[in-house]
Amino acid sequence: MAYQTVLILDYGSQYTQLIARRVRELSIYCEIVPFDADPADLAARAPAAIILSGGPSSVTAVDAPAFSPALLDLGVPVLGICYGLQVLTRTLGGRVEKAKRREYGRAQIEVLDRKDLLAGVQSKQTQVWMSHGDHVEAPAPGFDVIARTGDGVIAAVADRQRRIWGVQFHPEVVHTPDGGQMLRNFLCGTAGLKGDWTPASFVEDAVARIRAQVGDARVVCGLSGGVDSAVAAALIHRAIGDRLTCVFVDNGLLRLHEAEQVVEVFSGRFGYDLRHVDARDRFLDALAGITDPEAKRKTIGRVFVEVFEEVAKTIDDARFLAQGTLYPDVIESVSVRGPAAVIKSHHNVGGLPERMDLEICEPLRELFKDEVRQAGLELGLPDEIIWRHPFPGPGLAIRVLGEITRDRLDVLRQADHIMREEIRAGGLHRAIWQAGAVLLPVRSVGVMGDDRTYENVCALRAVSSLDGMTADWYPIPYEVLGRMSTRIINEVNGINRVVYDISSKPPATIEWE
């Protein structure tokens, strides 16, 4: 199926992914492409509209990222955001200058023209989010000013004859309350897009593409039980049925009852060809004595590759390896900021394609995490899989700080299980992006009954996030935290103190290691 497509030219803004998310929320397919991509290649994609993102550069700099006027020859609507407005203005003959006073954060603009882009903005004064050091001093010929800030700075322009708009602010962020309406006006009104990107249409299209790619071969999928690998497996199974073989490696670092749940759902309930490999001893033996976090990750990745490779060699006619690559991973590799040196050092199939001479099948590479969940619902996966919190590839190995032993893992599993039980009981599971307990390499004095104790400290961590790139600590109500602490100390032998982590990312990370 050929979707109506919006191309987002990435000029390096921290909000570029957010633009894409907002477009997708309108059921419109979009792709992020480098600003300097070949215009002929972009034209070949037949975009229905083009959006220019913001960026950290000054358009007045000698080496400022440029815009190719050839893209305007496509005759499709164009929207420039922040730097996107400035580079359009400079390219088309307007004047951009350093601002006398830079604007960062909330600002009020006066709407001068409520047609098309600004239609539906209820108030003449509306709040927007600014982030710029340059501003448009004089619009390019053919452009009308349709909004200004309180001190007269140009905030939005329009060339309706050529169907080009530009805004100095960021409509994609929540701090611009009418921003969603503006994007809808541009895409659904001016560009006339219908919104044909739906979970059902994606599943139908993905199944067809998998069949075309795989042919009559067998696909091997590393199944962790997480939502990404589960949805990838479900898509491939719908496409090729029993020519999919899933390999589930129990590394001994999973949460309580997780291995049993994966086997029950995919082998028992769905009838997949599932190879369940009990490699707990192998992983724990390899991790013995290791305390450095990166050494843990590399050891786990190495052993996983060894185990997976051994199993895959026993599967006849395995020519494809399925990966749960998501769109943020793809974006990182093509961003204007340059490819990431390492996306995930613990990626659960890292190193396998080169060692095993397998082709890669990535059915989710177009999706964000929330879209993966929508596709999973469309495929009929159970809620306990769809709404599972993200779980790190190295598992509990990076939540047991210091040396990993079977006893310390068992202690952490019980504490983690209690925390997650109370999150669900408090109705907080879907509001929290990720949660888990951490066993610290710290012991503290306590009193239980009349006896002195000297036991472990457990830290609880819960965050809210959109994609894990940034995160805020989640304000779990005190009464829920109190129940967690009481239960963990009473029910888990080896813990006598519980603390709650209220650090955000950045500067902290979601995981402690």
Side-chain angles (χ1 to χ4, degrees):
M1 177 178 178
Y3 301 105
Q4 293 179 307
T5 299
V6 174
L7 294 182
I8 301 171
L9 271 60
D10 182 13
Y11 284 91
S13 171
Q14 60 181 318
Y15 301 131
T16 301
Q17 280 200 41
L18 190 53
I19 299 172
R21 292 181 65 87
R22 294 291 174 258
V23 174
R24 295 279 185 91
E25 286 169 3
L26 297 171
S27 298
I28 295 169
Y29 181 68
C30 65
E31 293 182 12
I32 297 173
V33 297
F35 73 90
D36 56 355
D38 186 338
D41 291 342
L42 300 185
R45 302 191 193 194
I50 295 173
I51 296 176
L52 282 61
S53 82
S57 301
S58 169
V59 76
T60 62
V62 174
D63 59 349
F67 172 75
S68 172
L71 292 176
L72 298 181
D73 295 337
L74 298 178
V76 301
V78 175
L79 172 64
I81 295 175
C82 197
Y83 183 90
L85 160 65
Q86 296 166 10
V87 74
L88 278 170
T89 299
R90 192 174 179 87
T91 302
L92 297 176
R95 191 167 75 252
V96 178
E97 296 182 355
K98 288 286 186 185
K100 294 178 182 177
R101 183 174 63 86
R102 296 182 299 176
E103 288 187 294
Y104 296 98
R106 293 178 177 85
Q108 294 289 321
I109 64 169
E110 180 181 1
V111 178
L112 306 176
D113 187 334
R114 287 197 179 88
K115 293 193 294 290
D116 45 66
L117 184 67
L118 301 180
V121 177
Q122 298 301 312
S123 175
K124 189 175 182 180
Q125 295 278 337
T126 186
Q127 177 184 293
V128 298
W129 185 261
M130 294 285 192
S131 180
H132 66 99
D134 298 340
H135 70 269
V136 175
E137 182 69 21
F143 282 84
D144 298 318
V145 177
I146 59 175
R148 291 183 182 273
T149 64
D151 54 5
V153 173
I154 294 172
V157 299
D159 180 338
R160 294 186 170 97
Q161 183 173 350
R162 288 186 289 181
R163 297 198 295 171
I164 306 172
W165 287 261
V167 293
Q168 185 57 74
F169 51 87
H170 290 274
E172 68 273 23
V173 303
V174 295
H175 308 298
T176 302
D178 290 315
Q181 178 65 43
M182 296 174 194
L183 290 173
R184 185 180 296 107
N185 288 342
F186 173 69
L187 295 169
C188 302
T190 301
L193 301 185
K194 302 187 296 292
D196 53 3
W197 173 253
T198 65
S201 65
F202 166 77
V203 168
E204 178 184 357
D205 186 45
V207 166
R209 284 188 282 114
I210 292 166
R211 288 173 179 163
Q213 179 189 12
V214 171
D216 60 357
R218 178 168 293 278
V219 177
V220 181
C221 178
L223 188 63
S224 68
V227 63
D228 299 342
S229 65
V231 173
L235 269 175
I236 296 168
H237 189 266
R238 178 169 290 193
I240 65 173
D242 59 9
R243 284 186 288 115
L244 167 70
T245 296
C246 294
V247 178
F248 169 57
V249 178
D250 183 353
N251 58 14
L253 305 169
L254 303 176
R255 294 176 287 197
L256 193 64
H257 305 314
E258 207 155 43
E260 297 89 340
Q261 182 191 56
V262 171
V263 174
E264 189 279 325
V265 169
F266 292 98
S267 180
R269 201 182 312 180
F270 291 156
Y272 287 16
D273 176 15
L274 177 66
R275 310 289 175 90
H276 176 201
V277 183
D278 184 351
R280 290 175 292 180
D281 291 343
R282 187 165 172 177
F283 277 88
L284 295 181
D285 289 346
L287 288 164
I290 296 176
T291 59
D292 178 73
E294 192 60 20
K296 290 179 183 179
R297 291 175 181 270
K298 289 180 178 177
T299 299
I300 293 166
R302 173 181 58 79
V303 177
F304 180 89
V305 168
E306 293 170 356
V307 173
F308 196 98
E309 184 179 29
E310 290 168 9
V311 177
K313 285 180 177 177
T314 68
I315 301 170
D316 294 334
D317 199 27
R319 300 207 301 270
F320 289 86
L321 175 69
Q323 291 190 152
T325 306
L326 303 190
Y327 196 43
D329 298 327
V330 177
I331 294 168
E332 285 181 16
S333 68
V334 298
S335 169
V336 67
R337 293 180 294 278
V342 176
I343 294 176
K344 295 177 182 177
S345 64
H346 60 274
H347 199 289
N348 63 358
V349 289
L352 283 169
E354 294 81 3
R355 292 178 60 148
M356 298 171 56
D357 195 27
L358 294 174
E359 294 183 53
I360 297 298
C361 178
E362 297 174 318
L364 306 180
R365 63 181 285 114
E366 299 166 329
L367 302 187
F368 289 102
K369 177 72 79 171
D370 54 331
E371 294 171 324
V372 173
R373 289 195 167 104
Q374 293 167 14
L377 292 171
E378 184 69 27
L379 289 160
L381 290 175
D383 280 359
E384 62 264 30
I385 297 294
I386 294 297
W387 297 107
R388 182 186 187 226
H389 286 163
F391 189 56
L396 297 181
I398 57 170
R399 293 183 181 176
V400 171
L401 273 57
E403 186 175 1
I404 300 166
T405 66
R406 287 169 175 79
D407 288 344
R408 298 191 78 208
L409 283 167
D410 288 341
V411 168
L412 180 59
R413 278 193 190 93
Q414 295 175 61
D416 176 83
H417 184 66
I418 290 170
M419 180 187 187
R420 290 185 293 118
E421 278 190 335
E422 292 299 334
I423 284 174
R424 289 187 180 278
L428 305 174
H429 182 77
R430 294 195 187 182
I432 292 173
W433 163 266
Q434 187 169 338
V438 181
L439 192 64
L440 306 185
V442 174
R443 300 177 75 188
S444 73
V445 173
V447 178
M448 290 186 175
D450 294 323
D451 294 329
R452 174 186 181 276
T453 62
Y454 191 53
E455 301 288 3
N456 296 288
V457 178
C458 175
L460 305 181
R461 177 77 158 141
V463 298
S464 58
S465 179
L466 286 175
D467 50 23
M469 298 182 71
T470 61
D472 290 324
W473 63 275
Y474 187 83
I476 295 178
Y478 288 138
E479 60 271 20
V480 178
L481 284 173
R483 288 197 298 271
M484 291 177 183
S485 177
T486 299
R487 285 192 59 196
I488 289 171
I489 292 172
N490 287 345
E491 299 175 28
V492 182
N493 291 329
I495 293 176
N496 69 354
R497 190 178 300 270
V498 174
V499 298
Y500 189 54
D501 182 348
I502 58 170
S503 310
S504 295
K505 175 187 178 181
T509 55
I510 294 177
E511 298 294 340
W512 280 48
E513 288 191 341

